[in-house]
Amino acid sequence: MKNLFREYKEGMLRMERELGCFFSVDELGAENAFYQSEFRRCNQQVRSSVDGMVIALKDMILCKGLPVCAGSRILEGYIAPYDATVVSRLKSSGAIIMGKLNQDEFAMGSSGENNPYKVSRNPWGLERVAGGSSSGSAAAVAADIIKGSLGTDTGGSVRQPASFCGIVGFKPSYGRVSRYGIISYASSLDQIGVFSSNVKDVARILENIAGYDEKDLTSINIEVPRYSSMLGREVKGIKVGILLNFLPDELDEETKRFFDIVVLKLKQNHVELVSITIPYIESSISVYYILATAEASSNLARYDGLRYGQIYKTDFNLEQVYKKTRSAFLGEEVKRRILLGNYVLSSKHYDNYYLKAQSIRRKIRDEFEKAFEKVDVIICPTTPTKAYKIGDKLHRPLEMYLGDIFTVPVNLIGLPGISVPIGCKDFPIGLQIIGKYFDEAMVLNLAHWVQEVRKE
Ligand code: GLN
């Protein structure tokens, strides 16, 4: 038994050297959890559908006793004092927590390059990005180092890297999974999401972490279905919406081609295809980058050098401590967003930016609600392009922001959304399926169907 785990660990560390997925590995904790799970298995005492499953966590998620830095120097050396609710649920379900995974600093980014430590590489081509911000979570699963992982998704950070790495990435409805114990980026948009190579394991992980938590005021108290036993149902008769006004020019040819193939397959299987338009959806990126930066500028105010992590030692006064600490230990992109956030919240610009963005957000939500009166799910590509080369977009932030075009509307409204692989000539391409509020079961079932039909 011992050798099995050691062998696995050595193989994992060898691969890890190439890919750079982990910030820290909890060798002892994982080994203990492994033996305990083996013991339960031998004694027919398996606790849950994830008992013995090797899972790791994006470094935004607190796991008691393990370092947590959210990809930032400012939190270097900080040890999590408690478990996030999702972590305590995974532990009591018998999952093996392998460690903490690489990401963009404070989850701000789409390529995993925005951090001072290292870039996670895409297992499909080491010179390519793994996506972001949950870069390590996606790359480690795609390389089969771990079975599943958790990430956070504020504007696409689970679905987009899943698409780039050819795996499944799922963001549940806002309120479905407790956010207690995650480091906040933009609280009205943040949601914990799940990665695995297949829909069934995503469903298994989800059913073990979802559900009401009194420690999170935004958590909703409704029953959690047993998602993993609800897969494989007929798709005939399902109404699938295709967004007509949402296939931008930047969409690459191959993505479009694979998307069209899925649409054809759906048609052949008597799924009802409905063309829909969602007015204002093209404003989602602008709305997102106003609201996310506004919320981030307030959430990140707590990193002042006194309460957590690093402090810039200086003889100056308190204000100097704040200034020097934040200047020295926060990265460029994080600073850019704090500045943007403060700007849109400033009294002079508040009405023009923040309030306007909130009102467009409401309009987009109303339009989605109208669309969902006609359809059960909506589909579109997950990303306009495939994984690009490391360094390609690093100094062109606007271009990088535009890559979130398909994923951010889902966060603005709080809907469930999944990315499932639909094709791969050289690098993988994902399909996004968006569901009604709290209808995760429908989204997972259709994603499972897409996954199975690809094997034919
Ligand atoms: N790429 C988006 C951003 O940089 C989304 C990030 C996320 O979902 N955490 O804000």
Side-chain angles (χ1 to χ4, degrees), residues 61-64 82-89 180-182 192:
I61 303 169
L62 271 61
C63 183
K64 190 173 177 179
Y82 60 89
D83 278 334
T85 296
V86 286
V87 174
S88 52
R89 287 186 180 172
Y180 177 76
I182 65 165
I192 288 180

Side-chain angles (χ1 to χ4, degrees), residues 58 107-110 132-133 152-157 185 288-289 337 404:
K58 183 179 186 178
M108 297 176 186
S110 310
S133 63
T152 56
D153 190 316
T154 306
S157 280
Y185 160 17
Y288 171 81
Y289 277 95
R337 296 200 189 194
D404 299 333

Side-chain angles (χ1 to χ4, degrees), residues 170-174 176 222 238-239 368-378 410 413-417 433-444:
F170 183 53
K171 181 199 94 72
S173 310
Y174 188 81
R176 176 60 98 184
I222 61 168
I238 292 181
K239 295 194 188 93
F368 263 100
E369 267 170 21
K370 272 192 227 155
F372 274 123
E373 283 167 13
K374 291 188 240 147
V375 298
D376 300 306
V377 292
I378 295 172
V410 179
I413 323 299
L415 301 171
I433 305 170
I434 305 167
K436 291 181 184 168
Y437 203 41
F438 280 92
D439 199 4
E440 279 80 6
M442 168 72 81
V443 174
L444 289 165

